[in-house]
Amino acid sequence: METRSPAAAEIERRMALLNLNKKRLAELAGLNETYVHDILRGKSRNPGGDRLEKVAAVLGCTASDLLRGGAAGGSGTAALRLKALRERAGYTVRGLARDLGLGEKFSSYAFYENKLKKDYIPVELVRKLVPLLTDRGDPPIAASEVWALCGIVPGATDLNESIRRAERAAMPMQADDGAITVHEYDISPQAGAGAIVDHTACGDGEGHPTLESWRIPRDFIRNYLPDTAGLAIIRVAGNSMEPEFAAGDRVLVDTGHRVPSPDGVYVLWNGMGVVIKQLMLVPNSRPPRIRIISVNPTYPVDEVDASDLVINGRVVGKWVWK
């Protein structure tokens, strides 16, 4: 029988995706390794608070995402949580639909409880639900429980900005006009944690904020990449990759490519910020070691174990203006 917190399995899953061990995760979160160890081993069965938020930030999610564990990805999760809150508030489906301004069109609301297959419900619906459900029921429903229906955690960042980010991220990734949406993230050190947060239905969580959302012809991208999912745009900072990549250049990153093979240019977390570097596998090294190279020759070449690298993705293109 599983005796660990639901967060344990979700932390392990996200650690594997980011190629992190528990020591590295603790370092990036600014915590003692014992804290992470105790969660993973089941010694801490009810983790929470600021320390779990720090762990979540490194893993590119929120503490509530970790605590929901595997259920966060299950079909109908948002529908079940919405129904539970409605019943706890003492509302019938018809009653809540009327208070939402839907009149007798209660089936429009019932869709979100009975047929929605996504992990989150739309931000605009949650905005209407907050004043209706908050403080009702036993125990009284907290506003944060309602906001969580669309993946927003009040208090972690400015609420209005979190709502705007969630609305931007809810834009369809592929539209009927043949274009895809690619988000541009702010990777300045003060803007986020160790990972560019992948697109989710709820927005980009509490990681790097979305600066813009770009519409790019899908067929154009597919000339170069067979898979258009998981793409992100960032701007180069610093001069370590000049002249190939100048400060301010926009580059396109495939966040699904997190294994440093083949050799090429990748986006890394270096312990203080997100950087762009050239990676090269050291031939015949055991365990595998990676050279971290700056194009600018004034910067030294580093060499690390592959297991110590935190890779966000591979650089697959850049914008060039003539």
Side-chain angles (χ1 to χ4, degrees):
M1 183 177 68
E2 178 67 81
T3 59
R4 303 185 302 169
S5 161
E10 185 65 8
I11 289 173
E12 287 180 336
R13 185 183 74 83
R14 290 176 180 268
M15 285 170 60
L17 289 173
L18 297 174
N19 197 23
L20 289 175
N21 56 37
K22 61 184 179 182
K23 179 178 180 180
R24 183 62 172 161
L25 174 60
E27 288 176 352
L28 294 175
L31 300 170
N32 190 299
E33 184 182 347
T34 303
Y35 175 75
V36 177
H37 175 84
D38 286 350
I39 295 176
L40 298 181
R41 289 299 182 91
K43 294 183 179 180
S44 176
R45 299 184 185 180
N46 295 291
D50 292 342
R51 289 189 296 178
L52 189 62
E53 288 287 0
K54 291 179 180 179
V55 170
V58 175
L59 296 176
C61 62
T62 67
S64 61
D65 291 329
L66 297 179
L67 291 171
R68 285 196 295 270
S75 130
T77 299
L80 293 174
R81 288 186 286 123
L82 174 60
K83 180 179 180 180
L85 287 179
R86 174 185 59 76
E87 292 178 343
R88 185 167 138 204
Y91 266 113
T92 64
V93 170
R94 289 177 181 270
L96 186 53
R98 281 195 295 267
D99 284 0
L100 283 169
L102 299 175
E104 293 303 315
K105 297 178 181 179
F106 65 91
S107 60
S108 298
Y109 165 79
F111 165 84
Y112 293 103
E113 287 194 12
N114 301 327
K115 296 183 179 180
L116 183 69
K117 301 301 181 182
K118 296 184 178 180
D119 296 334
Y120 299 96
I121 66 176
V123 177
E124 60 269 20
L125 177 58
V126 174
R127 196 195 300 268
K128 295 177 181 178
L129 287 170
V130 169
L132 297 177
L133 299 181
T134 300
D135 294 331
R136 295 178 63 121
D138 184 19
I141 296 172
S144 59
E145 293 180 82
V146 188
W147 282 116
L149 291 170
C150 63
I152 293 173
V153 181
T157 57
D158 175 74
L159 178 59
N160 289 328
E161 175 56 22
S162 295
I163 293 171
R164 286 192 293 271
R165 292 191 341 233
E167 289 172 335
R168 284 196 295 268
M171 296 169 58
M173 294 302 283
Q174 297 192 9
D176 293 338
D177 62 1
I180 62 170
T181 297
V182 182
H183 299 305
E184 179 181 340
Y185 293 105
D186 179 1
I187 63 163
S188 56
Q190 68 272 19
I196 301 173
V197 180
D198 297 337
H199 173 87
T200 65
C202 65
D204 51 12
E206 306 311 325
H208 293 276
T210 304
L211 294 175
E212 299 287 349
S213 294
W214 297 89
R215 304 288 290 155
I216 303 175
R218 182 168 59 248
D219 289 342
F220 171 78
I221 293 293
R222 284 181 174 170
N223 283 332
Y224 307 96
L225 294 171
D227 186 359
T228 58
L231 295 178
I233 295 171
I234 64 173
R235 292 194 187 191
V236 176
N239 65 352
S240 69
M241 295 296 284
E242 291 183 347
E244 183 66 23
F245 299 94
D249 282 352
R250 284 189 176 96
V251 296
L252 186 65
V253 181
D254 179 2
T255 64
H257 192 150
R258 299 191 179 187
V259 176
S261 177
D263 296 346
V265 179
Y266 289 80
V267 179
L268 315 174
W269 170 256
N270 68 1
M272 296 186 67
V274 173
V275 298
I276 296 175
K277 296 291 181 182
Q278 184 174 342
L279 300 184
M280 180 181 296
L281 177 66
V282 177
N284 303 315
S285 54
R286 295 291 183 274
R289 292 183 64 80
I290 303 294
R291 290 195 182 102
I292 304 176
I293 304 167
S294 300
V295 175
N296 187 333
T298 63
Y299 286 80
V301 174
D302 293 324
E303 190 174 302
V304 300
D305 286 345
S307 60
D308 290 332
L309 278 179
V310 181
I311 298 177
N312 282 270
R314 180 182 174 92
V315 174
V316 293
K318 75 170 183 177
W319 272 253
V320 177
W321 303 100
K322 297 293 186 180

